[in-house]
Amino acid sequence: MAIRLKDIAADLGISAVTVSKVLRGKPDVGEETRQRVWERVRAVNYQPNLLARGLASGKSQTVGLIVPDLLHTFFAEFAKGLKAGLRKRGYQLILASAEEEPQLEREEIDTLLARGVDALLLATCQPEEDALASLAAIQVPCVLVDRAIPASGRPFVGTDDSAAGRLATEHLLSLGRRRIAHIAGEGFSTGLDRLQGYRHALTTAGIEPRSEWVVCRSRLEEAGDRIGEAAMAEFLALPERLDAVFCYNDLSAIGAIRAVLAAGLRVPEDIAIVGCGNLRLADYMRVPLTSIDQSTGEQGEWAAKLTVLLLAGKEKNLDRQVRLAPKLVPRSSTQGS
Amino acid sequence: MAIRLKDIAADLGISAVTVSKVLRGKPDVGEETRQRVWERVRAVNYQPNLLARGLASGKSQTVGLIVPDLLHTFFAEFAKGLKAGLRKRGYQLILASAEEEPQLEREEIDTLLARGVDALLLATCQPEEDALASLAAIQVPCVLVDRAIPASGRPFVGTDDSAAGRLATEHLLSLGRRRIAHIAGEGFSTGLDRLQGYRHALTTAGIEPRSEWVVCRSRLEEAGDRIGEAAMAEFLALPERLDAVFCYNDLSAIGAIRAVLAAGLRVPEDIAIVGCGNLRLADYMRVPLTSIDQSTGEQGEWAAKLTVLLLAGKEKNLDRQVRLAPKLVPRSSTQGS
DNA sequence: GTGAAAGCGCTAACAG
DNA sequence: CTGTTAGCGCTTTCAC
């Protein structure tokens, strides 16, 4: 068994409570005692048992994050920023992944709560109705991430996705494109908002959005390349040729580009393509990909900040919505090269 | 406060011990009692407090994994496989990332142990000496991952990296290349073993490895593209021109390709390039990248299996080394197109 | 088959 | 400033 608090206390001939106080930085301990405790703690490399501490105190200084899939670099990057932000504020992170399975997500929620996390951050992969039910049962502060559910009344940190849709579409318009299609993401606010931004930009430019130029697809995070390729093939089969496509994410954009090239057309000369997410490798693709950057790491930092404020009761606005502004990163897939 | 074991017991007019036994599947409880307990548990959606359970039992049915960085898809994929394997065997996973900082890794080790994990899996980013010191202090079963440290006497699961080096080099040799360079990874067994495999393949083919054709670089996981590009530029400045390069990983291979193309040369006609890791997007690169696949998910599964065997005391070979065979995935960067 | 008693290692609340 | 007393919610042990 590892060394315990009471061992240290016994060694020093003082009470366990005093040692505990020193460890937690309580002020009501004499300077000399404090010194001796720390000295001994370091000497034996004592580590407090977090299970016991959490059980006794009802607090764990730990928050949980559940993401749909860590293979999506977005979430890995978000987790990284979040972790740094939490650390800076004296909190730890437990990371869990739902592997895109709603059932697993529910289990992870239960597990993290059973582990006594002080707060939960959730990028849900559940359909809205189910997510609402899950959320309703969560008794600790809970921040939604990436995928918004306004009806939940929970705080949110994510991208301003409708701005992302607008930005991408306006970029294409500014290049003189007029017949702009969209491969949309289905099922979550990210997809719906980007679609809305796309429509808004078109309308503002005096172009009537055409329904045959929008396809909605799910699972774009996992299989976007295949799905994007197939969707693009459908677009290419339309009687009137498009001159640009805004894709829900970079993976689907990469697939779309493949389909365009396979059809013997050029990117961007014949069809310009914009993705979203700004993948690390976007610049090394067959055609370097114009994309929308989401400042993912910053989102994590924001989430940390907001969560800790909530925990401290210092955030008055209990359904605070933080939406970071997306940025366009132009590359060859829209600008020639 | 959440509902407790004793609440259920009180509701049913039985003792907490009996409820606890039912929950843990102990046999010495009457069938009828068992039914009633489960019914009530489901009705109130009771979740056992894991802190209390862990504290009381000294077991948590949880293992911890520490990786250098979740942004390396290798580790995200490994974690996924591991998680699935553990789940199947009734264990949970707590995932931690050291963000490539040895100090953080040490803290994560301490934290996970303080959380009472039953076992620890570690892909260390510490230099061997430091890692040995850290490992020596770990009192629970501990499996090394990806980066081997034979001197530690700990079990290991990873790639057969020297086979990977051989495979890549033999592939290049089989294509008639003779002047084959290597951008090697520094500091860990992965890099050293791949280098050794490279040398072995050359020697076996009757080619004397030349020191100016090997450069060792660190941080290739994070900044491989930049570093690979620079390393390739150095190679190109040598008096005698290479005709192939085996790169430590895909990221550095991508950088190397960029440098080759920037010099006005062709891949693979002038210089063939092989990477390692088989990135998801390898096929969509400027030049689709020939790579070595590491069966990453399977490695995770193996790690789960081995860990649970260790925990059950069923693995006799306490420093069991599992090295999965790598596979070559040929693409245009070596084969033309 | 069932349950009473005794903790697991720590902290909260209060007393000195 | 320091320590005592009582738990946190669960499991273990061992009687019945």
Side-chain angles (χ1 to χ4, degrees):
Chain A
M1 217 51 199
I3 183 154
R4 297 154 306 171
L5 191 52
K6 69 160 64 152
D7 297 328
I8 305 230
D11 291 352
L12 262 36
I14 60 182
S15 87
V17 178
T18 303
V19 178
S20 172
K21 282 174 176 166
V22 172
L23 252 23
R24 287 173 297 131
K26 296 289 172 191
D28 56 346
V29 178
E31 188 50 38
E32 195 205 345
T33 314
R34 187 183 305 279
Q35 299 277 333
R36 292 177 59 217
V37 169
W38 275 119
E39 197 176 307
R40 186 101 197 111
V41 161
R42 268 190 290 266
V44 300
N45 189 32
Y46 166 75
Q47 300 290 143
N49 181 321
L50 295 176
L51 300 182
R53 177 176 280 185
L55 184 59
S57 70
K59 264 111 184 45
S60 60
Q61 291 289 110
T62 300
V63 319
L65 168 66
I66 304 174
V67 300
D69 192 338
L70 282 168
L71 280 175
H72 309 341
T73 51
F74 174 86
F75 294 116
E77 223 164 306
F78 179 90
K80 192 169 189 160
L82 174 68
K83 181 177 166 133
L86 288 174
R87 185 176 151 74
K88 198 159 54 184
R89 296 174 174 81
Y91 278 83
Q92 298 182 329
L93 175 66
I94 297 186
L95 228 171
S97 163
E99 312 296 355
E100 300 283 7
E101 293 178 32
Q103 174 55 32
L104 241 177
E105 177 174 313
R106 275 174 242 125
E107 291 177 22
E108 290 293 358
I109 291 173
D110 288 341
T111 303
L112 286 175
L113 294 175
R115 279 192 204 289
V117 295
D118 296 336
L120 206 52
L121 307 229
L122 180 62
T124 185
C125 66
Q126 297 190 71
E128 183 152 341
E129 287 302 304
D130 298 350
L132 281 170
S134 285
L135 286 169
I138 298 176
Q139 308 279 357
V140 300
C142 178
V143 176
L144 290 173
V145 165
D146 188 49
R147 302 163 181 199
I149 305 185
S152 69
R154 301 283 189 167
F156 170 77
V157 176
T159 308
D160 184 341
D161 284 305
S162 89
R166 248 179 290 132
L167 201 55
T169 310
E170 284 165 0
H171 172 64
L172 294 168
L173 288 165
S174 78
L175 295 169
R177 309 290 167 150
R178 287 296 173 270
R179 301 186 305 282
I180 305 173
H182 178 40
I183 297 173
E186 198 162 39
F188 301 104
S189 66
T190 44
L192 297 174
D193 292 352
R194 286 172 206 175
L195 170 59
Q196 190 225 311
Y198 154 84
R199 285 197 175 127
H200 182 273
L202 286 185
T203 309
T204 304
I207 298 176
E208 179 70 16
R210 292 211 228 158
S211 66
E212 69 268 32
W213 284 354
V214 172
V215 299
C216 280
R217 293 289 182 272
S218 55
R219 314 239 119 196
L220 251 22
E221 327 277 359
E222 306 149 74
D225 47 347
R226 269 197 298 96
I227 299 172
E229 191 173 353
M232 189 71 224
E234 288 180 31
F235 283 145
L236 291 173
L238 290 176
E240 188 174 4
R241 167 128 320 144
L242 315 163
D243 58 17
V245 184
F246 162 46
C247 303
Y248 169 74
N249 63 7
D250 286 349
L251 205 51
S252 53
I254 289 166
I257 289 177
R258 170 166 288 193
V260 172
L261 299 178
L265 298 171
R266 296 160 303 165
V267 176
E269 293 83 350
D270 298 310
I271 300 185
I273 306 273
V274 182
C276 184
N278 198 23
L279 282 182
R280 173 86 206 296
L281 295 177
D283 200 37
Y284 296 96
M285 295 293 130
R286 183 89 181 78
V287 179
L289 181 64
T290 295
S291 190
I292 303 284
D293 189 273
Q294 307 184 78
S295 311
T296 315
E298 266 182 64
Q299 290 192 29
E301 296 265 7
W302 264 102
K305 186 171 172 180
L306 178 54
T307 304
V308 173
L309 283 176
L310 247 21
L311 247 13
K314 284 183 186 157
E315 174 66 46
K316 294 145 190 219
N317 188 348
L318 257 36
D319 67 334
R320 177 88 181 277
Q321 309 285 303
V322 178
R323 291 174 190 273
L324 296 206
K327 299 183 194 92
L328 183 85
V329 183
R331 296 196 185 87
S332 312
S333 72
T334 56
Q335 307 238 313
S337 48
Chain B
M1 218 48 197
I3 184 153
R4 296 155 308 172
L5 191 50
K6 70 159 63 149
D7 297 329
I8 306 232
D11 291 354
L12 261 37
I14 61 181
S15 86
V17 179
T18 303
V19 178
S20 172
K21 282 175 176 167
V22 173
L23 252 23
R24 287 174 298 132
K26 297 288 172 193
D28 57 346
V29 177
E31 187 51 38
E32 195 205 345
T33 313
R34 188 184 305 279
Q35 299 277 334
R36 292 179 56 219
V37 169
W38 275 120
E39 197 177 307
R40 186 97 197 113
V41 161
R42 267 190 292 266
V44 300
N45 187 32
Y46 167 74
Q47 300 290 142
N49 180 320
L50 263 20
L51 300 181
R53 176 176 279 186
L55 183 58
S57 70
K59 266 112 184 45
S60 60
Q61 291 289 110
T62 300
V63 317
L65 168 67
I66 303 175
V67 301
D69 193 338
L70 284 168
L71 280 175
H72 309 341
T73 52
F74 174 86
F75 294 115
E77 222 164 307
F78 179 90
K80 191 169 188 160
L82 174 68
K83 179 175 170 141
L86 288 174
R87 185 176 151 75
K88 198 159 55 187
R89 296 173 175 82
Y91 279 83
Q92 297 182 330
L93 174 66
I94 296 187
L95 227 172
S97 163
E99 312 296 356
E100 300 283 7
E101 294 178 31
Q103 175 55 32
L104 239 177
E105 176 174 313
R106 275 175 241 124
E107 291 175 23
E108 291 292 357
I109 291 173
D110 288 340
T111 302
L112 286 174
L113 293 175
R115 280 192 204 291
V117 295
D118 295 337
L120 205 53
L121 308 228
L122 180 62
T124 185
C125 65
Q126 297 190 71
E128 182 152 341
E129 287 302 305
D130 298 349
L132 281 170
S134 284
L135 286 168
I138 298 175
Q139 309 279 356
V140 300
C142 177
V143 176
L144 290 172
V145 165
D146 188 51
R147 304 162 180 199
I149 305 186
S152 70
R154 301 283 189 166
F156 170 77
V157 176
T159 309
D160 185 340
D161 284 304
S162 90
R166 248 180 290 130
L167 201 56
T169 311
E170 284 165 0
H171 172 64
L172 294 168
L173 288 164
S174 78
L175 295 169
R177 310 289 167 149
R178 286 296 173 272
R179 300 186 304 284
I180 304 174
H182 178 39
I183 298 174
E186 198 163 40
F188 301 105
S189 67
T190 44
L192 297 173
D193 291 353
R194 286 173 206 174
L195 170 60
Q196 190 226 311
Y198 155 84
R199 285 196 175 127
H200 182 273
L202 286 185
T203 309
T204 303
I207 298 176
E208 179 68 18
R210 291 211 228 158
S211 65
E212 70 268 32
W213 284 354
V214 173
V215 299
C216 280
R217 294 288 183 272
S218 55
R219 317 238 115 197
L220 250 24
E221 326 278 0
E222 305 151 72
D225 47 347
R226 270 197 300 99
I227 298 172
E229 191 174 352
M232 189 70 223
E234 289 180 30
F235 283 145
L236 291 174
L238 290 175
E240 188 174 4
R241 166 130 318 147
L242 316 162
D243 58 16
V245 183
F246 162 46
C247 304
Y248 169 74
N249 63 7
D250 286 350
L251 205 51
S252 53
I254 288 166
I257 289 177
R258 169 165 287 193
V260 171
L261 298 179
L265 299 171
R266 295 159 305 165
V267 176
E269 292 83 349
D270 299 308
I271 300 184
I273 307 273
V274 182
C276 184
N278 198 24
L279 282 182
R280 172 85 207 291
L281 295 177
D283 201 36
Y284 295 97
M285 295 294 129
R286 183 88 181 79
V287 180
L289 181 65
T290 294
S291 189
I292 304 285
D293 189 273
Q294 307 184 78
S295 310
T296 315
E298 266 183 65
Q299 290 192 28
E301 295 264 7
W302 264 101
K305 186 170 172 181
L306 179 54
T307 303
V308 173
L309 282 176
L310 248 20
L311 248 12
K314 284 181 186 158
E315 174 65 47
K316 294 146 190 220
N317 188 349
L318 257 37
D319 68 332
R320 177 90 181 276
Q321 309 285 303
V322 178
R323 291 174 190 274
L324 295 207
K327 300 184 195 92
L328 183 85
V329 183
R331 296 196 184 88
S332 312
S333 71
T334 57
Q335 308 239 312
S337 46

